Every structure is written in structure tokens, then in C-alpha cells.
Amino acid sequence: MSSMNDSATITETARPAIHLKGVKKSFDGRTVVDVDDLTLGSNPIEGLIGPNGAGKTTLMRLIMHAIKLDTGTVSLSDPGSPNGSVVLSKTPQHRIARLGVVKTNQVIQDFPNLTIWDSLLLAVGRTRNEQPGRIFSERRVLEEHGDEIQSYLDYFSFENPNGFANSAGEKKLLDTIRCLLLNPKVLLLDEPTAGLPDDLTEQVMELIKQKAAEGMSVVIVEHDLTVIWGLSDIVHFMAEGSVILQGDPASIREHETVIEKYLGSGHVGG
């Protein structure tokens, strides 16, 4: 894996980060992910791009232990934690969010029978309260998180915040808000603006910038390259299962390998 130039060199900072060492994953004899040594999250906002089938979503799922590695380790380093580092690839999947690593869904996953408010309250409910009919009677959940939830609903101007999320755009936003309510150390965003109109995309971008400025490490997989170029401090380019280039957005956008394998000549200088 190579960097574009000196200005694009990734500098380790005191931020929560994901480290992948010797990570491989194959399906039916086909190698889907093959990452020798990669750190994600050293910079406030990092983009992960590449053609369809490059292995981006699989890489994200490996980080979350949604699927098992064939070989290698995935770990979380957190300068603010007394534990320092924890191996995620040996951690049960349900505990990873509690450690501070959270991922949005590429495909919309919703609770169709829950109102917008109830869906968000469920996200912040404690495990012991996640029984039907119990979490919503917990005044403490509402007292602790009600103002924060309301601020997100006001920010995105949901059509009927006391009702149900009917549009795909509102369901996509709900998924992002649910993750933000968990106050993650590392937030993995898998196509967070897919299907959103331009105004909502801009709002999501501004919110991500704010969270990163507050110390959250953000990694974005996104096919809308306007989002990647506009948000990312560093961009990783993935092809055929491996991250083969990394650098600042301008350098990645103009690199001949990226143009050849992904952007096409029409994107030169664009």
C-alpha cells in the first residue's frame, strides 16, 4: 500500500482507531479481503472507496465481527481508555458497540411497527430494558436522552417525528441517528447518504464534520464521491480485496490507478 506524497502521509494522532493485521477473508475459494496492515481512524474523517466488489462492505463487517476472519486480527486502540487496546476479532459481536465501535447499515433496516421516537429510544435502552413494553415505560431513558433525540429530529426536520418513518430517506437518517446516540468512538458509515436529496446530504455531511471535530473517528464508505472529496481528510482506495492506495482526496482523485480502475477518464481533475 502506498501514499500519494509527503503531504498525504497519514500521521498517527491520539484518536480511537481500528487496526487490521494480516486480515483475510474468502468465500467459496475467492479472496474477498486481503489486508496486510491497515489503520482506520487516525484522522478525523477517512473515506474508503473502490469499485463494486472491492471488498469494502465485507471489510466493515469483519471489523464489526459480523463475519469471522479467516486469518489475522482486528483491534481497537483508544488513547482515552485505561485498557489501551482491545482485540475486536476475539470479542463477541454484541459487545463491540459497547466498546465504542458502531456501524450503520448499507441496506435500510427498520422497525416498521415502531414510531420514530420509539425506534430511537430503543437504540439507547439498556439491555435489561429491551423487552417489549418495558423500555418505553422507563422514564430514565427519556430523561437521559430525550433532549438529544429531539435535537436530531429538529435538525433533520422529520415530517412527523411522533409518527412512523415512511420514506426511505427518513429511515436512512434514523439509522444514522441511532448510531450517533450511542456516542461511538469510531463510527463506520456505510453509504450514509444513499438515496438522500442534496439538502439532506449536506446536513448529514455537516453533522459528521461536527462529530469528528468533537473527537469521534469517522470512516465512510460512499459511492457519492462528492461526499468523499468534501469530507475526508484521508481516502483509502480498495480494489480486489486490498487497500492499495491512500492519500489526501485530491491526490487520490488524480491518481492514474484510481482513474483506471474506478473513476474513468471523465473524472480527471473533477
Side-chain angles (χ1 to χ4, degrees), residues 62-79:
L62 288 169
I63 291 172
M64 297 303 300
H65 209 176
I67 52 179
K68 292 184 178 181
L69 308 173
D70 292 339
T71 63
T73 60
V74 178
S75 61
L76 166 69
S77 65
D78 179 10

Side-chain angles (χ1 to χ4, degrees), residues 47-49 220-222 224-232 235 249:
L48 178 62
I49 65 171
I220 308 174
V221 171
E222 181 60 77
D224 183 348
L225 295 180
T226 300
V227 173
I228 294 293
W229 307 143
L231 278 180
S232 303
V235 178

Side-chain angles (χ1 to χ4, degrees), residues 1 20 23-25 31-36 38 40 47-60 62-63 221 223 235-246 252 257-258 261-262:
M1 180 171 59
L20 299 98
V23 170
K24 293 185 179 182
K25 184 64 184 178
T31 300
V32 179
V33 171
D34 185 357
V35 173
D36 180 48
L38 175 66
L40 297 171
L48 178 62
I49 65 171
N52 290 332
K56 303 181 298 296
T57 293
T58 300
L59 182 65
M60 291 278 214
L62 288 169
I63 291 172
V221 171
H223 286 291
V235 178
H236 306 272
F237 178 68
M238 193 170 187
E240 299 174 357
S242 299
V243 175
I244 60 175
L245 296 168
Q246 56 186 8
I252 288 288
T257 300
V258 179
K261 290 182 176 289
Y262 185 43

Side-chain angles (χ1 to χ4, degrees), residues 180-194:
L180 291 174
L181 285 170
L182 297 176
N183 192 29
K185 299 170 183 175
V186 179
L187 176 61
L188 308 177
L189 295 170
D190 200 343
E191 300 188 24
T193 66

Side-chain angles (χ1 to χ4, degrees), residues 31-270:
T31 300
V32 179
V33 171
D34 185 357
V35 173
D36 180 48
D37 189 352
L38 175 66
T39 296
L40 297 171
S42 295
N43 300 270
I45 303 176
E46 299 184 6
L48 178 62
I49 65 171
N52 290 332
K56 303 181 298 296
T57 293
T58 300
L59 182 65
M60 291 278 214
R61 296 186 68 204
L62 288 169
I63 291 172
M64 297 303 300
H65 209 176
I67 52 179
K68 292 184 178 181
L69 308 173
D70 292 339
T71 63
T73 60
V74 178
S75 61
L76 166 69
S77 65
D78 179 10
S81 170
N83 296 325
S85 179
V86 60
V87 180
L88 298 180
S89 49
K90 293 184 179 179
T91 302
Q93 184 183 0
H94 68 274
R95 289 190 54 214
I96 290 179
R98 297 182 198 172
L99 292 172
V101 182
V102 176
K103 176 186 172 298
T104 62
N105 295 299
Q106 180 187 34
V107 179
I108 293 174
Q109 297 183 14
D110 193 37
F111 303 98
N113 296 322
L114 296 182
T115 65
I116 290 172
W117 262 96
D118 287 348
S119 175
L120 296 177
L121 287 171
L122 180 62
V124 293
R126 294 170 180 162
T127 303
R128 66 176 182 271
N129 294 328
E130 289 179 357
Q131 300 174 12
R134 186 172 178 184
I135 181 175
F136 309 121
S137 65
E138 287 286 330
R139 290 185 178 181
R140 186 174 2 176
V141 176
L142 186 57
E143 289 172 356
E144 289 180 359
H145 301 281
D147 290 344
E148 185 180 10
I149 290 173
Q150 187 63 61
S151 69
Y152 284 124
L153 297 179
D154 291 343
Y155 178 76
F156 286 114
S157 300
F158 279 77
E159 183 177 350
N160 181 14
N162 294 313
F164 297 90
N166 294 316
S167 69
E170 286 195 341
K171 292 177 181 178
K172 193 76 173 177
L173 291 175
L174 270 184
D175 187 33
T176 299
I177 295 172
R178 282 194 291 261
C179 290
L180 291 174
L181 285 170
L182 297 176
N183 192 29
K185 299 170 183 175
V186 179
L187 176 61
L188 308 177
L189 295 170
D190 200 343
E191 300 188 24
T193 66
L196 295 182
D198 290 343
D199 58 337
L200 284 180
T201 294
E202 190 66 32
Q203 284 185 276
V204 170
M205 291 174 67
E206 288 302 316
L207 184 58
I208 292 170
K209 288 180 183 178
Q210 176 185 330
K211 294 299 179 181
E214 293 171 358
M216 188 181 296
S217 297
V218 181
V219 180
I220 308 174
V221 171
E222 181 60 77
H223 286 291
D224 183 348
L225 295 180
T226 300
V227 173
I228 294 293
W229 307 143
L231 278 180
S232 303
D233 300 289
I234 289 292
V235 178
H236 306 272
F237 178 68
M238 193 170 187
E240 299 174 357
S242 299
V243 175
I244 60 175
L245 296 168
Q246 56 186 8
D248 63 79
S251 299
I252 288 288
R253 184 171 55 188
E254 296 168 1
H255 196 278
E256 60 182 15
T257 300
V258 179
I259 295 170
E260 177 185 348
K261 290 182 176 289
Y262 185 43
L263 299 180
S265 58
H267 281 269
V268 177

